[in-house]
Amino acid sequence: MRKKRISIGLLSLLTASVTFGQNWTETKTGNWVKVTNKGGQTLGYSPTSGVKLLSDKGFAFKDLNKNGKLDKYEDWRLPVEVRAKDLATKLSVEQIAGLMLYSKHQPIPAAPAGPFVGTYNGKIFAQSGANVSDLSDQQREFLTKDNLRHVLITSVQSPEAAAAWNNNAQALVEGLGMGIPINSSSDPRHGTRADAEYNAGAGGAISMWPGSLGLAATFNPKLVQKFGQIAATEYRALGIATALSPQVDLATDPRWNRASGTFGEDPNLATDMARAYIDGFQTSTGANEITGGWGYASVNAMVKHWPGGGSGEGGRDAHYGYGKYAVYPGNNFQTHFMPFLNGAFKLKGKTGMASAVMPYYTISYNQDKKYGENVGNSYNKYIIHDLLRTKYKYDGVVCTDWLITADETAVDVFLTGKSWGVEKLSVAERHYKILMNGVDQFGGNNEAKPVTDAYQMGVKEHGESFMRARFEQSAVRLLKNVFRVGLFENPYLDPQVAQKAVGTPEFMKAGYQAQLESVVMLKNKAKALPLTKGKTVYIPKRFTPAGRNFLGMQTPEKLDYPVNLAVIKKYFTVTDNPAEADYALVFIQSPNSGGGYDSEQAKAGGTGYVPVSLQYGDYTAQATRNPSIAGGDPMETFTNRTYAGKTAKTINSSDLTMVTETYAKMKGKPVIVALQVSNPTVAKEFEAQSNAILAHFGVQDQALLEIMTGAHEPSALLPMQFPADMKTVETQAEDVPRDMTAYKDSEGNTYDFGFGLNWKGVIKDARTATYKKPVLSMK
């Protein structure tokens, strides 16, 4: 049958379905047209994009490049590999460079101020009269001028706004070049608070789940896979087809401030959780499946951070120059590969492996055994080319972490360039070095010119045909992840459907149940729990001192109740007088001493390096290595980063006072402590003043109250050790899991990995039998 090109001009005036022949119909849906192929794929296109339809053997196809013929990449009947390779050969160098970009963070609507500010027709977005779902000037520029097609979505005003923005953006790019759709992504956004990997990442009505450590605390991979399935459904309703998760770094140093985003420190547990999470996100079934487990319900998982970032020296984090070095005093480098090699790359589902990988910022110090380079992981040929690509044969997308090609401006600033170890290279040279290692994409880079400049460097060194082939190799990898999830066929959404698909009662219930299953009971002296409902409780207010958030923006001091009193009053009568109370409920958070660097001390002439403390009281470092294993930064005149003899002060030390003062005021009446855990905590400071302790990883107040009052029996287990004291923290090796002396409480229980209580006592079940075995290294 001769291929036919069908005009769509008339359809822009129609709202009813129109049938063409016997195999397909068109329906106007909002500002886009839905094409239903009987026995084939459903299409969607915008009347404003200029795209027309082609007919072949009774089926409809989108003429995305407007050449009047059905190209292989437009033919949804062909395998993804064939389509991606066909399109890659048709793209210009500039278009491939655009595919290699991953945008800076994009809130919907655009932010009125701060690092993610956006304008509309030159005016501040909020003051411009633009609709919430309109594209900002900056977004239009990087989509059109720089050919960017991978957008990182952060906060959204509502699911409807996210869907409408998606449709506007997809309509714009559909009319450009080859009609490549946008592949939007998100950091984790299902927490009960806005405390994802990047705090701007939460927003919009969505089901609420415990954080990653909370999921790990369930010791239940099946629950985590269910989370992935539900989260993927909600992501796709928001127009998001890639998850910048899971974070499978082993949190082998308890001080690391990203531990809360991991599945804990145990490689076996983290491996099983990684596999379950990705299978949940990537797998489509039934009518949603296109082929090979991929389809319209699938979300690409970008597993991170290869080769593992949880062993920063002194617990410091590589978002900052002061934390750029990961160290391996226990010679345990390869154990950190386990969640990738045995989990993310060996899925049980049809998709087989995580479709993308993000290396971490860190310099994996002295681990390059072939070339001897101490450079950031994306820059390291041994870690990317020799290990990930060659030895372990990973052929999915590799995307750098954000801002690694920009210049460093300060050792203690979050939003600065992180070109660790290659500071002397130009920006274009950094891009070239990364590309030659086998990396495909640049996180947080909106501009294509450094990529095209890198291409020219490759042409000069290797010739045009070599460099063209290298670019097409990355283009194929990137395009496969767009084809697999059906975006070339239909990237459009119905905002009303999106609103109903996100945060459904079923999803909210599943998330809440997971929260209940994620709370660990550490102590229950004389069966203080469960409490009797209707009794009177005393809750001390919590003081938060003035400070700065992760972006460096000032935050005011605050004295307020740490929980929602309206929820509390559904269970108890609340009093401000401890003498009237039957029980005291004290809500505290893990000690926070900062990231291990004191900017004021550095300005005064010191090195700036201080301990990261896991106790509330002041901690002066002892038994600390001197000199440090690693060191050196262009902003520093020294290489020894030791903090021996230095003192760390915890900014929330008043949390400890809340417990001890309340214990004294209650005069022997039960004191129940709820500890929100972001890092392992030295419990000896407050354990004896607590009748019961619940450890949680970010849950709703109601979930804690359900456990406190006996409506739900605690069942979770610690996904990491709680240290006996700071000495064991100092003497453990940053790269070795489960190597601390765990705290033993006044009841004789040890707060070790896999410990937890239920109403009967210490939990011993199939989970503890499976995961409390000794750690097996990959050496």
Side-chain angles (χ1 to χ4, degrees), residues 563-766:
V563 288
N564 185 339
L565 287 188
V567 174
I568 297 288
K569 290 177 180 177
K570 293 181 180 180
Y571 294 81
F572 302 108
T573 299
V574 179
T575 180
D576 288 330
N577 182 0
E580 298 176 351
D582 298 298
Y583 319 117
L585 309 182
V586 187
F587 297 86
I588 62 176
Q589 297 180 9
S590 294
N592 179 3
S593 67
Y597 189 84
D598 186 336
S599 301
E600 295 305 316
Q601 186 208 90
K603 290 176 183 176
T607 66
Y609 290 90
V610 295
V612 178
S613 178
L614 301 180
Q615 67 181 40
Y616 294 103
D618 292 355
Y619 167 67
T620 300
Q622 297 177 344
T624 302
R625 69 172 64 102
N626 188 9
S628 60
I629 292 175
D633 186 276
M635 303 287 169
E636 296 175 338
T637 59
F638 55 88
T639 58
N640 185 4
R641 292 181 162 191
T642 186
Y643 49 84
K646 301 284 187 66
T647 299
K649 293 182 178 293
T650 306
I651 63 174
N652 62 330
S653 59
S654 58
D655 280 16
L656 176 60
T657 307
M658 289 170 65
V659 179
T660 56
E661 289 186 351
T662 299
Y663 181 77
K665 292 175 181 177
M666 290 298 291
K667 300 183 184 301
K669 292 180 288 187
V671 175
I672 313 302
V673 174
L675 169 68
Q676 182 171 329
V677 179
S678 54
N679 290 87
T681 298
V682 176
K684 72 175 182 179
E685 292 177 297
F686 63 89
E687 178 267 318
Q689 289 76 41
S690 311
N691 296 85
I693 303 173
L694 297 177
H696 70 98
F697 308 91
V699 299
Q700 293 168 263
D701 298 338
Q702 184 179 352
L704 292 174
L705 293 168
E706 292 282 282
I707 291 174
M708 288 180 184
T709 57
H712 183 86
E713 183 172 18
S715 61
L717 307 168
L718 281 179
M720 49 178 54
Q721 297 178 306
F722 272 32
D725 48 37
M726 281 303 298
K727 182 179 179 180
T728 191
V729 173
E730 291 288 6
T731 56
Q732 58 92 40
E734 284 95 334
D735 61 319
V736 179
R738 295 168 51 184
D739 64 337
M740 292 191 295
T741 301
Y743 177 68
K744 187 173 183 179
D745 73 6
S746 57
E747 300 298 294
N749 291 318
T750 302
Y751 297 178
D752 207 343
F753 170 80
F755 169 74
L757 299 172
N758 57 23
W759 301 139
K760 295 178 181 179
V762 177
I763 297 172
K764 294 182 180 180
D765 57 17

Side-chain angles (χ1 to χ4, degrees), residues 378-456:
S378 288
Y379 292 103
N380 193 295
K381 183 177 180 180
Y382 175 72
I383 288 173
I384 302 300
H385 175 270
D386 290 32
L387 291 181
L388 182 62
R389 289 298 195 195
T390 305
K391 182 176 181 178
Y392 300 120
K393 297 179 172 54
Y394 181 75
D395 194 39
V397 167
V398 177
C399 176
T400 75
D401 214 326
W402 264 233
L403 293 178
I404 76 162
T405 58
D407 292 328
E408 180 184 17
T409 58
V411 74
D412 57 347
V413 173
F414 186 93
L415 288 177
T416 188
K418 309 173 202 307
S419 49
W420 309 146
V422 296
E423 293 89 349
K424 293 182 180 180
L425 297 181
S426 69
V427 172
E429 287 170 337
R430 293 170 194 163
H431 282 76
Y432 181 53
K433 182 174 177 61
I434 288 169
L435 285 169
M436 290 300 98
N437 289 343
V439 176
D440 306 296
Q441 204 165 26
F442 302 93
N445 291 18
N446 288 9
E447 298 177 1
K449 188 177 186 304
V451 185
T452 55
D453 287 348
Y455 180 85
Q456 294 304 323

